[in-house]
Amino acid sequence: MIAKVSTAALLGIDGFSIELEVDLARSGMPAFIMVGLAEGAVREAKERVFSALKNSGFKLPPSRITVNIAPADIRKEGSGYDLPLALGLLAGAEVIPGEKLSGLYLAGELSLSGELKPVPGALPLALRAREAGARGMIVPEANGREAAVVQGLPVYGCRSLAQVVRFVLGEEDIAPLVCDVAGLWGEQEQFRRDFSEVKGQERAKRAIEIACAGSHNMLFIGPPGSGKTMLSSRIPTVLPPLGFDEALEVTKVYSVAGKLPPDQPLVVTRPFRSPHHTISDAGLIGGGQYPRPGELSLAHRGVLFLDELPEFKKHVLEVLRQPLEEGRVTISRAAVSLEYPGDVMLVAAMNPCPCGYLGDEKHHCSCTPIQIQRYRSRLSGPLLDRIDLHVEVPAVPYRDLKQEQGSISSAVMQERINAARKVQRERYEGLHFSSNSELTGKWLERFCPLTESEHVFLEGAVQRLGMSARAFVRVLRISRTIADLAGDRDLSTIHLAEAINYRGLDRQSRE
């Protein structure tokens, strides 16, 4: 008898349907054959499943067992096939009527004792099950709340193989899990940091407000101890809250990467990722022998903070160039091509020179011009062009340090940022983008018109600073955001001048 069981597998961060066909033939020598491009953990499922069946009280007759995992031309990996394989074997042995499994999607790893263990990617698998019109999905109890985020799909969380069999046979009633999605936003942990704790650095705070309002990338340049990391770590506190669709995107990435906390079925706060400068290119943008999302994708819809930027390996930084432009990462292998999301706000920090004290009034810089040039040359021009704001962060004077608290709180900054974001959403309604950082081509000309006097002013700045065409576009985008924060419909020389002032490395390169 041939039994068929439905499940889903991951391709990138999305799921696709899989059908397990199990044939138990009583003729011929007993054997177990699995076909369908099954990788390591899938091939090992045989040992786990047979032990789980035996220890759960089920006995299979001696048979020649053939398992086909369709579609056969896509590589299968992971341990989530254990549960569907076990149910397929029981259906093939007529312990479970085949029609009882029709329309059900199953996923889960089995221990040798028959207990169900969680698997990564439960959320995208459940989304695929709903798209396929499944009448329900059975997952390990630990994956239950995560899969239950998908509305319109009954999700059943089970603890063991024996419980799944009893449920399928109708011998045990299990209520579908319910996840209060709206309540998850109320459960979120409040940020423990606030910009009111930052004393001084008003210019840097202003730059952060501009960057967050228009989704611009930014680079802090300043001596050690000036507050670059402190400022960066507080950026998520002023970004607009995640919407439900954005939260789903972020959660899918964390679920596939196996980094979703067990008590958190949905990521409802914007991510902040700060990888160490020893990270590899695969660790940063994703990949590996069995591709997984990298830090860039884990920061999707949030902040990717690269501290000590010149200390990163140059080839690692260069792989960021295309993802920063397109907001996604494409990983190509001989057998498959995967795409991971990577729409991040890049925030980086660096010292002005190797010793860190160039331009600091309190410390003497011991670096030679050649050393400074070599230090800065670790960052390529194309990479710096993709960073909109270059912000100088000087050492904080004592008169600022003795203040009880900063002059502005995160709540006030977030209110202004949300107002500017609302202006952009209304302006770009019906278009394929929603923020100033995505303006390009004809849209840049349409939404950033300049008068003749403004053209003359900008032309002089471009020639004096030697700006590239990409840097010129950045200045216009920043100017548009500055105007939005000020409530101005049209750009003016004041907006352009402030935007040019945030291209610090362009200015320094011409000095």
Side-chain angles (χ1 to χ4, degrees):
M1 177 181 176
I2 297 179
K4 296 183 179 181
V5 183
S6 297
T7 184
L10 297 171
L11 189 62
I13 65 165
D14 297 312
F16 65 97
S17 294
I18 292 288
E19 186 175 66
L20 262 73
E21 299 175 316
V22 182
D23 178 29
L24 269 69
R26 305 296 174 87
S27 58
M29 292 291 292
F32 183 91
I33 303 169
M34 181 180 288
V35 295
L37 284 184
E39 294 296 323
V42 185
R43 292 196 302 269
E44 294 170 353
K46 167 192 170 185
E47 310 302 333
R48 291 192 298 272
V49 169
F50 281 7
S51 294
L53 287 171
K54 180 191 69 174
N55 293 321
S56 298
F58 302 106
K59 186 175 181 180
L60 298 177
S63 310
R64 181 179 177 84
I65 302 172
T66 304
V67 178
N68 178 42
I69 310 177
D73 60 340
I74 299 179
R75 188 178 67 185
K76 321 300 186 310
E77 60 183 56
S79 57
Y81 299 93
D82 291 6
L83 181 60
L85 176 57
L87 271 290
L89 290 170
L90 292 175
E94 299 182 346
V95 175
I96 299 175
E99 62 271 13
K100 294 283 188 180
L101 299 176
S102 178
L104 280 177
Y105 269 59
L106 302 100
E109 178 184 335
L110 286 171
S111 69
L112 299 185
S113 63
E115 299 297 313
L116 277 174
K117 295 183 176 182
V119 293
L123 177 60
L125 299 184
L127 287 169
R128 177 56 200 157
R130 184 181 66 180
E131 292 171 6
R135 64 182 177 90
M137 184 173 188
I138 300 176
V139 296
E141 192 173 51
N143 288 128
R145 288 190 71 200
E146 176 188 345
V149 168
V150 180
Q151 304 296 308
L153 174 73
V155 174
Y156 305 95
C158 295
R159 296 182 299 275
S160 65
L161 173 61
Q163 185 183 26
V164 173
V165 174
R166 292 195 300 270
F167 171 68
V168 171
L169 292 175
E171 298 173 359
E172 181 176 339
D173 187 33
I174 300 177
L177 294 169
V178 177
C179 181
D180 180 13
V181 175
L184 293 176
W185 268 261
E187 296 176 8
Q188 68 177 322
E189 182 181 357
Q190 296 299 315
F191 290 110
R192 299 177 182 177
R193 298 168 175 170
D194 194 280
F195 271 103
S196 62
E197 301 166 341
V198 180
K199 300 175 182 179
Q201 301 297 8
E202 300 306 319
R203 184 172 180 272
K205 293 177 187 176
R206 166 67 173 170
I208 288 172
E209 196 170 303
I210 295 170
C212 294
S215 296
H216 302 290
N217 301 323
M218 65 188 311
L219 170 64
F220 291 122
I221 308 163
S226 58
K228 303 185 295 295
T229 303
M230 173 184 280
L231 289 163
S232 301
S233 64
R234 283 159 175 77
I235 289 178
T237 68
V238 299
L239 288 171
L242 280 176
F244 178 69
D245 290 339
E246 291 179 319
L248 274 182
E249 293 175 11
V250 176
T251 306
K252 285 167 66 175
V253 175
Y254 276 74
S255 178
V256 170
K259 295 184 179 295
L260 189 67
D263 59 341
Q264 187 178 4
L266 192 69
V267 178
V268 296
T269 56
R270 293 193 182 271
F272 180 86
R273 304 292 298 184
S274 180
H276 193 260
H277 61 258
T278 57
I279 193 172
S280 67
D281 50 357
L284 186 59
I285 68 165
Q289 182 178 3
Y290 298 103
R292 288 290 183 270
E295 290 291 333
L296 180 73
S297 296
L298 291 170
H300 180 58
R301 302 296 185 188
V303 176
L304 176 65
F305 177 53
L306 303 183
D307 200 4
E308 303 295 344
L309 187 64
E311 302 302 326
F312 284 77
K313 298 181 181 67
K314 190 166 185 177
H315 73 275
V316 172
L317 292 179
E318 292 306 300
V319 299
L320 284 174
R321 286 158 58 172
Q322 179 255 349
L324 288 178
E325 285 287 319
E326 300 184 1
R328 63 181 183 275
V329 179
T330 302
I331 299 173
S332 297
R333 298 289 183 267
V336 67
S337 180
L338 303 177
E339 190 172 283
Y340 294 122
D343 186 3
V344 303
M345 177 180 169
L346 176 66
V347 180
M350 62 178 286
N351 295 329
C353 65
C355 78
Y357 295 112
L358 179 66
D360 191 347
E361 298 177 355
K362 299 180 180 179
H363 298 84
H364 173 69
C365 175
S366 60
C367 304
T368 65
I370 294 298
Q371 289 175 321
I372 296 173
Q373 182 183 2
R374 288 175 179 169
Y375 179 74
R376 293 184 178 178
S377 66
R378 298 178 189 176
L379 307 177
S380 69
L383 177 64
L384 289 176
D385 278 348
R386 286 166 170 81
I387 300 177
D388 301 349
L389 292 89
H390 306 157
V391 185
E392 297 170 15
V393 185
V396 182
Y398 181 76
R399 65 176 179 274
D400 291 337
L401 290 175
K402 68 180 182 180
Q403 296 176 2
E404 292 186 3
Q405 63 178 14
S407 61
I408 187 172
S409 68
S410 293
V412 173
M413 292 176 65
Q414 187 182 53
E415 185 177 353
R416 294 202 290 249
I417 290 167
N418 287 342
R421 290 270 186 125
K422 181 181 178 182
V423 170
Q424 293 169 58
R425 286 195 302 271
E426 293 174 352
R427 180 193 300 134
Y428 306 134
E429 186 176 2
L431 302 180
H432 62 281
F433 57 89
S434 60
S435 66
N436 292 332
S437 64
E438 300 171 272
L439 281 173
T440 186
K442 63 179 182 180
W443 304 117
L444 196 67
E445 297 177 2
R446 176 178 173 182
F447 296 113
C448 300
L450 300 177
T451 63
E452 185 61 30
S453 62
E454 290 158 1
H455 274 297
V456 172
F457 172 81
L458 195 53
E459 180 182 5
V462 168
Q463 291 178 351
R464 187 169 61 255
L465 299 178
M467 288 184 181
S468 67
R470 186 178 283 115
F472 165 75
V473 169
R474 258 56 182 180
V475 168
L476 287 181
R477 292 175 178 174
I478 298 168
S479 302
R480 180 68 270 171
T481 302
I482 293 171
D484 290 341
L485 283 168
D488 297 333
R489 180 174 180 180
D490 300 321
L491 300 186
S492 69
T493 304
I494 296 175
H495 304 141
L496 294 171
E498 185 177 359
I500 292 171
N501 200 37
Y502 290 121
R503 298 293 301 180
L505 291 182
D506 291 333
R507 298 198 315 276
Q508 293 175 17
S509 65
R510 307 294 290 185
E511 292 175 354

